[in-house]
Amino acid sequence: MSKFKNVTVFFKSLRFRVLLLLVLFGIIPSLALRFGILNSYEQRAVSIRTSEILSQAKILTNQIVSSDYLIQSDNKLIDAQLEQLSTIYDGRIMVIDRNFHILKDTYELDENKTIISEEVIKSASGKEITKYDKENRYIEMTVPLLKVEPMEEDLVLGVMMVSVSTDSISRNLEYLAQSAAVVQLVCVFIIGFIGILVSIELVRPFGKMAQSIEEISTGYGGDELNVRAYSETVQICNKINSMLGRMRVLDESRQEFVSNVSHELKTPLTSMKVLADSINSMEDAPLEFYKEFMADIGNEIDRETKIINDLLSLVKMDKSAADLNISSVNINELLEQILKRLQPIADRQKVELVLESFRPVSADIDEVKLTLAISNLIENAIKYNKTDGWVRISLNADHQYFYIKVEDSGIGIPEEDLERIYERFYRVDKSHSREIGGTGLGLAITRNAILMHRGAIKVFSTEGEGTIFNVRIPLKYIK
């Protein structure tokens, strides 16, 4: 089974295809050249033989006419010349009068018989007819016997038919074909050998690339693939190096995410452990201490629960968009419900919430996921705001998209952090985030939910002045 697999792999390999192309490009021209030469030789040989015989036949026809052979056919000189021409060219000659009677046949088979054929009839009208029968291997020609009359039209007295064998031409043709086949076979072996060398040389850089990739994957190679044999290998190496770079970034991001998850889940547990140990170490501690410590433990449990819930939300967001539960939703009412739910938080922070709806908007969305995304934006705008600050939410739409803008007067985001705010567990101000209970997952959840709706989100911020989030989502969801 493995042998068949190896054979299949070889036939699918670049080396075999290069070899096949070289052999084909060698065989096809040689075949064309072979048949071209043989065909040219055959035509040339037939043409020369025809010209020779026709020349001899014309000389003989003149002698036949001048000697009145058609009247007195017992002319031994003419008979000897006819026999000689027939013997030299291994052929048959017949002399036919104007009534289509055969006066002379060098084969002595059809004398005194009548012959009527298309060629004889045409020659009886003064035409020279030549025909080459390749299948039966003979040349046939009919030559008119003309008596030239001064000042009058030539008189056709009869026809001479000459049939000549082309066996000698066929034998030469077969010999040339055999020689050409031998030469062609030798050329195929030479081209095949050259093709093997060329294919090995062409494929060698790809072998180096495969070896380098294997070394990189096992950790014993360099950080980059570098095979510069051809422009194609350079392009492939650049693409692979780019892919390896992205894979390293993803791997680093994964490791960082695992580290952050471990840290975030471990911190509340550590705090609860410290609080529990503190209570256990106290003997006869007042009831107020127990209540305070248990309240702190409860807060840490809530914090742990929020982190786990956000992680579960992210896992759901990472699934395919086929999990979206799309329905037509009134976006104006959706925003009003979100603000109503967040109003108590804004009141505690002394932040004013303002909603501006420029027109009624209905869209095809997953209400749960988009509600979570918009709630995160508005809740962040409230929590990271200033006392007596404000948050303005505006809704608008055109024929294709609806737009939500969340603008606040908060602390803003430093310019160097804007590109990383959607990373999981990334916090701009870690100390402030922990004070307000942030997990660093809210914006990651928001961005994933918007992208699942084929939407887009952009952020503009000035540190110390505030932040603007612009969200654009299609009115009609298209899978």
Side-chain angles (χ1 to χ4, degrees), residues 260-283:
N260 288 334
V261 169
S262 301
H263 176 75
E264 294 296 332
L265 293 177
K266 184 179 178 181
T267 301
L269 292 174
T270 303
S271 299
M272 286 187 281
K273 181 69 166 59
V274 171
L275 291 169
D277 289 344
S278 299
I279 294 175
N280 290 330
S281 63
M282 294 182 184
E283 295 181 2

PDB file of all heavy atoms in Angstrom, residues 260-283:
ATOM      1  N   ASN A 260      -3.609  36.105  31.709  1.00  0.00           N
ATOM      2  CA  ASN A 260      -4.528  37.092  32.287  1.00  0.00           C
ATOM      3  C   ASN A 260      -5.728  36.420  32.932  1.00  0.00           C
ATOM      4  O   ASN A 260      -6.179  36.827  34.014  1.00  0.00           O
ATOM      5  CB  ASN A 260      -4.993  38.068  31.207  1.00  0.00           C
ATOM      6  CG  ASN A 260      -3.897  39.023  30.782  1.00  0.00           C
ATOM      7  OD1 ASN A 260      -2.984  39.311  31.561  1.00  0.00           O
ATOM      8  ND2 ASN A 260      -3.970  39.509  29.558  1.00  0.00           N
ATOM      9  N   VAL A 261      -6.270  35.401  32.263  1.00  0.00           N
ATOM     10  CA  VAL A 261      -7.415  34.689  32.838  1.00  0.00           C
ATOM     11  C   VAL A 261      -7.030  34.066  34.176  1.00  0.00           C
ATOM     12  O   VAL A 261      -7.776  34.155  35.169  1.00  0.00           O
ATOM     13  CB  VAL A 261      -7.913  33.600  31.852  1.00  0.00           C
ATOM     14  CG1 VAL A 261      -8.907  32.681  32.540  1.00  0.00           C
ATOM     15  CG2 VAL A 261      -8.555  34.245  30.638  1.00  0.00           C
ATOM     16  N   SER A 262      -5.850  33.420  34.188  1.00  0.00           N
ATOM     17  CA  SER A 262      -5.392  32.798  35.439  1.00  0.00           C
ATOM     18  C   SER A 262      -5.253  33.842  36.546  1.00  0.00           C
ATOM     19  O   SER A 262      -5.665  33.614  37.685  1.00  0.00           O
ATOM     20  CB  SER A 262      -4.051  32.090  35.207  1.00  0.00           C
ATOM     21  OG  SER A 262      -4.171  31.103  34.199  1.00  0.00           O
ATOM     22  N   HIS A 263      -4.664  34.978  36.179  1.00  0.00           N
ATOM     23  CA  HIS A 263      -4.450  36.031  37.176  1.00  0.00           C
ATOM     24  C   HIS A 263      -5.779  36.603  37.681  1.00  0.00           C
ATOM     25  O   HIS A 263      -5.979  36.779  38.896  1.00  0.00           O
ATOM     26  CB  HIS A 263      -3.590  37.140  36.571  1.00  0.00           C
ATOM     27  CG  HIS A 263      -3.388  38.302  37.494  1.00  0.00           C
ATOM     28  ND1 HIS A 263      -2.539  38.251  38.583  1.00  0.00           N
ATOM     29  CD2 HIS A 263      -3.932  39.542  37.484  1.00  0.00           C
ATOM     30  CE1 HIS A 263      -2.563  39.422  39.211  1.00  0.00           C
ATOM     31  NE2 HIS A 263      -3.402  40.222  38.557  1.00  0.00           N
ATOM     32  N   GLU A 264      -6.701  36.877  36.720  1.00  0.00           N
ATOM     33  CA  GLU A 264      -7.970  37.496  37.102  1.00  0.00           C
ATOM     34  C   GLU A 264      -8.812  36.563  37.960  1.00  0.00           C
ATOM     35  O   GLU A 264      -9.496  37.003  38.879  1.00  0.00           O
ATOM     36  CB  GLU A 264      -8.742  37.901  35.843  1.00  0.00           C
ATOM     37  CG  GLU A 264      -8.092  38.997  35.024  1.00  0.00           C
ATOM     38  CD  GLU A 264      -8.014  40.318  35.786  1.00  0.00           C
ATOM     39  OE1 GLU A 264      -8.868  40.556  36.667  1.00  0.00           O
ATOM     40  OE2 GLU A 264      -7.102  41.106  35.506  1.00  0.00           O
ATOM     41  N   LEU A 265      -8.770  35.262  37.650  1.00  0.00           N
ATOM     42  CA  LEU A 265      -9.556  34.323  38.450  1.00  0.00           C
ATOM     43  C   LEU A 265      -8.906  34.038  39.797  1.00  0.00           C
ATOM     44  O   LEU A 265      -9.593  33.718  40.780  1.00  0.00           O
ATOM     45  CB  LEU A 265      -9.743  33.006  37.672  1.00  0.00           C
ATOM     46  CG  LEU A 265     -10.603  33.071  36.412  1.00  0.00           C
ATOM     47  CD1 LEU A 265     -10.628  31.726  35.711  1.00  0.00           C
ATOM     48  CD2 LEU A 265     -12.024  33.522  36.747  1.00  0.00           C
ATOM     49  N   LYS A 266      -7.586  34.148  39.809  1.00  0.00           N
ATOM     50  CA  LYS A 266      -6.875  33.844  41.039  1.00  0.00           C
ATOM     51  C   LYS A 266      -6.976  34.968  42.066  1.00  0.00           C
ATOM     52  O   LYS A 266      -7.026  34.717  43.283  1.00  0.00           O
ATOM     53  CB  LYS A 266      -5.401  33.581  40.712  1.00  0.00           C
ATOM     54  CG  LYS A 266      -4.569  33.168  41.914  1.00  0.00           C
ATOM     55  CD  LYS A 266      -3.131  32.903  41.501  1.00  0.00           C
ATOM     56  CE  LYS A 266      -2.269  32.527  42.703  1.00  0.00           C
ATOM     57  NZ  LYS A 266      -0.862  32.290  42.316  1.00  0.00           N
ATOM     58  N   THR A 267      -7.044  36.238  41.575  1.00  0.00           N
ATOM     59  CA  THR A 267      -7.034  37.386  42.497  1.00  0.00           C
ATOM     60  C   THR A 267      -8.205  37.359  43.490  1.00  0.00           C
ATOM     61  O   THR A 267      -7.994  37.499  44.707  1.00  0.00           O
ATOM     62  CB  THR A 267      -7.029  38.697  41.692  1.00  0.00           C
ATOM     63  OG1 THR A 267      -5.875  38.710  40.854  1.00  0.00           O
ATOM     64  CG2 THR A 267      -7.011  39.899  42.622  1.00  0.00           C
ATOM     65  N   PRO A 268      -9.467  37.211  43.034  1.00  0.00           N
ATOM     66  CA  PRO A 268     -10.557  37.150  44.033  1.00  0.00           C
ATOM     67  C   PRO A 268     -10.429  35.967  44.977  1.00  0.00           C
ATOM     68  O   PRO A 268     -10.746  36.083  46.175  1.00  0.00           O
ATOM     69  CB  PRO A 268     -11.819  37.024  43.156  1.00  0.00           C
ATOM     70  CG  PRO A 268     -11.415  37.529  41.818  1.00  0.00           C
ATOM     71  CD  PRO A 268      -9.984  37.168  41.664  1.00  0.00           C
ATOM     72  N   LEU A 269      -9.975  34.824  44.469  1.00  0.00           N
ATOM     73  CA  LEU A 269      -9.800  33.668  45.350  1.00  0.00           C
ATOM     74  C   LEU A 269      -8.751  33.944  46.411  1.00  0.00           C
ATOM     75  O   LEU A 269      -8.914  33.551  47.582  1.00  0.00           O
ATOM     76  CB  LEU A 269      -9.391  32.446  44.508  1.00  0.00           C
ATOM     77  CG  LEU A 269     -10.453  31.901  43.549  1.00  0.00           C
ATOM     78  CD1 LEU A 269      -9.865  30.788  42.684  1.00  0.00           C
ATOM     79  CD2 LEU A 269     -11.662  31.395  44.319  1.00  0.00           C
ATOM     80  N   THR A 270      -7.668  34.610  46.006  1.00  0.00           N
ATOM     81  CA  THR A 270      -6.619  34.961  46.978  1.00  0.00           C
ATOM     82  C   THR A 270      -7.179  35.888  48.056  1.00  0.00           C
ATOM     83  O   THR A 270      -6.897  35.717  49.262  1.00  0.00           O
ATOM     84  CB  THR A 270      -5.436  35.630  46.258  1.00  0.00           C
ATOM     85  OG1 THR A 270      -4.947  34.742  45.249  1.00  0.00           O
ATOM     86  CG2 THR A 270      -4.324  35.948  47.233  1.00  0.00           C
ATOM     87  N   SER A 271      -7.973  36.877  47.608  1.00  0.00           N
ATOM     88  CA  SER A 271      -8.561  37.818  48.572  1.00  0.00           C
ATOM     89  C   SER A 271      -9.482  37.094  49.544  1.00  0.00           C
ATOM     90  O   SER A 271      -9.456  37.339  50.767  1.00  0.00           O
ATOM     91  CB  SER A 271      -9.342  38.917  47.830  1.00  0.00           C
ATOM     92  OG  SER A 271      -8.481  39.647  46.982  1.00  0.00           O
ATOM     93  N   MET A 272     -10.295  36.173  49.019  1.00  0.00           N
ATOM     94  CA  MET A 272     -11.200  35.420  49.899  1.00  0.00           C
ATOM     95  C   MET A 272     -10.426  34.542  50.876  1.00  0.00           C
ATOM     96  O   MET A 272     -10.806  34.397  52.040  1.00  0.00           O
ATOM     97  CB  MET A 272     -12.154  34.571  49.048  1.00  0.00           C
ATOM     98  CG  MET A 272     -13.240  35.376  48.357  1.00  0.00           C
ATOM     99  SD  MET A 272     -14.467  34.338  47.517  1.00  0.00           S
ATOM    100  CE  MET A 272     -13.562  33.914  46.037  1.00  0.00           C
ATOM    101  N   LYS A 273      -9.327  33.971  50.388  1.00  0.00           N
ATOM    102  CA  LYS A 273      -8.490  33.145  51.260  1.00  0.00           C
ATOM    103  C   LYS A 273      -7.901  33.976  52.390  1.00  0.00           C
ATOM    104  O   LYS A 273      -7.883  33.551  53.569  1.00  0.00           O
ATOM    105  CB  LYS A 273      -7.366  32.512  50.429  1.00  0.00           C
ATOM    106  CG  LYS A 273      -6.412  31.599  51.217  1.00  0.00           C
ATOM    107  CD  LYS A 273      -7.115  30.334  51.660  1.00  0.00           C
ATOM    108  CE  LYS A 273      -6.137  29.274  52.146  1.00  0.00           C
ATOM    109  NZ  LYS A 273      -5.291  29.679  53.264  1.00  0.00           N
ATOM    110  N   VAL A 274      -7.433  35.171  52.058  1.00  0.00           N
ATOM    111  CA  VAL A 274      -6.847  36.057  53.085  1.00  0.00           C
ATOM    112  C   VAL A 274      -7.907  36.448  54.106  1.00  0.00           C
ATOM    113  O   VAL A 274      -7.673  36.427  55.326  1.00  0.00           O
ATOM    114  CB  VAL A 274      -6.238  37.295  52.422  1.00  0.00           C
ATOM    115  CG1 VAL A 274      -5.841  38.316  53.473  1.00  0.00           C
ATOM    116  CG2 VAL A 274      -5.031  36.901  51.569  1.00  0.00           C
ATOM    117  N   LEU A 275      -9.102  36.796  53.608  1.00  0.00           N
ATOM    118  CA  LEU A 275     -10.169  37.198  54.526  1.00  0.00           C
ATOM    119  C   LEU A 275     -10.584  36.037  55.433  1.00  0.00           C
ATOM    120  O   LEU A 275     -10.794  36.202  56.640  1.00  0.00           O
ATOM    121  CB  LEU A 275     -11.373  37.704  53.729  1.00  0.00           C
ATOM    122  CG  LEU A 275     -11.177  39.041  52.998  1.00  0.00           C
ATOM    123  CD1 LEU A 275     -12.342  39.299  52.042  1.00  0.00           C
ATOM    124  CD2 LEU A 275     -11.055  40.187  54.001  1.00  0.00           C
ATOM    125  N   ALA A 276     -10.707  34.852  54.843  1.00  0.00           N
ATOM    126  CA  ALA A 276     -11.107  33.687  55.643  1.00  0.00           C
ATOM    127  C   ALA A 276     -10.057  33.351  56.691  1.00  0.00           C
ATOM    128  O   ALA A 276     -10.387  33.038  57.853  1.00  0.00           O
ATOM    129  CB  ALA A 276     -11.352  32.497  54.714  1.00  0.00           C
ATOM    130  N   ASP A 277      -8.755  33.400  56.291  1.00  0.00           N
ATOM    131  CA  ASP A 277      -7.690  33.115  57.256  1.00  0.00           C
ATOM    132  C   ASP A 277      -7.675  34.153  58.375  1.00  0.00           C
ATOM    133  O   ASP A 277      -7.392  33.824  59.548  1.00  0.00           O
ATOM    134  CB  ASP A 277      -6.334  33.098  56.538  1.00  0.00           C
ATOM    135  CG  ASP A 277      -6.185  31.871  55.636  1.00  0.00           C
ATOM    136  OD1 ASP A 277      -6.964  30.915  55.808  1.00  0.00           O
ATOM    137  OD2 ASP A 277      -5.294  31.892  54.742  1.00  0.00           O
ATOM    138  N   SER A 278      -7.974  35.399  58.012  1.00  0.00           N
ATOM    139  CA  SER A 278      -7.982  36.461  59.038  1.00  0.00           C
ATOM    140  C   SER A 278      -9.072  36.208  60.066  1.00  0.00           C
ATOM    141  O   SER A 278      -8.864  36.363  61.276  1.00  0.00           O
ATOM    142  CB  SER A 278      -8.192  37.829  58.370  1.00  0.00           C
ATOM    143  OG  SER A 278      -7.143  38.115  57.463  1.00  0.00           O
ATOM    144  N   ILE A 279     -10.249  35.779  59.561  1.00  0.00           N
ATOM    145  CA  ILE A 279     -11.347  35.508  60.494  1.00  0.00           C
ATOM    146  C   ILE A 279     -11.012  34.312  61.393  1.00  0.00           C
ATOM    147  O   ILE A 279     -11.233  34.322  62.612  1.00  0.00           O
ATOM    148  CB  ILE A 279     -12.650  35.233  59.707  1.00  0.00           C
ATOM    149  CG1 ILE A 279     -13.092  36.506  58.970  1.00  0.00           C
ATOM    150  CG2 ILE A 279     -13.762  34.744  60.629  1.00  0.00           C
ATOM    151  CD1 ILE A 279     -14.286  36.309  58.079  1.00  0.00           C
ATOM    152  N   ASN A 280     -10.442  33.279  60.799  1.00  0.00           N
ATOM    153  CA  ASN A 280     -10.119  32.077  61.566  1.00  0.00           C
ATOM    154  C   ASN A 280      -9.034  32.329  62.611  1.00  0.00           C
ATOM    155  O   ASN A 280      -8.986  31.663  63.650  1.00  0.00           O
ATOM    156  CB  ASN A 280      -9.665  30.951  60.627  1.00  0.00           C
ATOM    157  CG  ASN A 280     -10.806  30.416  59.781  1.00  0.00           C
ATOM    158  OD1 ASN A 280     -11.963  30.447  60.228  1.00  0.00           O
ATOM    159  ND2 ASN A 280     -10.496  29.944  58.574  1.00  0.00           N
ATOM    160  N   SER A 281      -8.178  33.304  62.334  1.00  0.00           N
ATOM    161  CA  SER A 281      -7.084  33.567  63.274  1.00  0.00           C
ATOM    162  C   SER A 281      -7.533  34.405  64.469  1.00  0.00           C
ATOM    163  O   SER A 281      -6.802  34.528  65.453  1.00  0.00           O
ATOM    164  CB  SER A 281      -5.926  34.272  62.554  1.00  0.00           C
ATOM    165  OG  SER A 281      -6.348  35.546  62.064  1.00  0.00           O
ATOM    166  N   MET A 282      -8.713  35.044  64.334  1.00  0.00           N
ATOM    167  CA  MET A 282      -9.215  35.880  65.435  1.00  0.00           C
ATOM    168  C   MET A 282     -10.022  35.023  66.414  1.00  0.00           C
ATOM    169  O   MET A 282     -10.889  34.269  66.008  1.00  0.00           O
ATOM    170  CB  MET A 282     -10.115  36.996  64.884  1.00  0.00           C
ATOM    171  CG  MET A 282      -9.390  38.020  64.018  1.00  0.00           C
ATOM    172  SD  MET A 282     -10.533  39.310  63.462  1.00  0.00           S
ATOM    173  CE  MET A 282      -9.460  40.247  62.402  1.00  0.00           C
ATOM    174  N   GLU A 283      -9.712  35.175  67.692  1.00  0.00           N
ATOM    175  CA  GLU A 283     -10.475  34.492  68.740  1.00  0.00           C
ATOM    176  C   GLU A 283     -11.421  35.486  69.393  1.00  0.00           C
ATOM    177  O   GLU A 283     -11.009  36.578  69.782  1.00  0.00           O
ATOM    178  CB  GLU A 283      -9.539  33.907  69.810  1.00  0.00           C
ATOM    179  CG  GLU A 283      -8.643  32.808  69.266  1.00  0.00           C
ATOM    180  CD  GLU A 283      -7.766  32.238  70.358  1.00  0.00           C
ATOM    181  OE1 GLU A 283      -7.913  32.680  71.516  1.00  0.00           O
ATOM    182  OE2 GLU A 283      -6.944  31.347  70.035  1.00  0.00           O
TER     183      GLU A 283
END
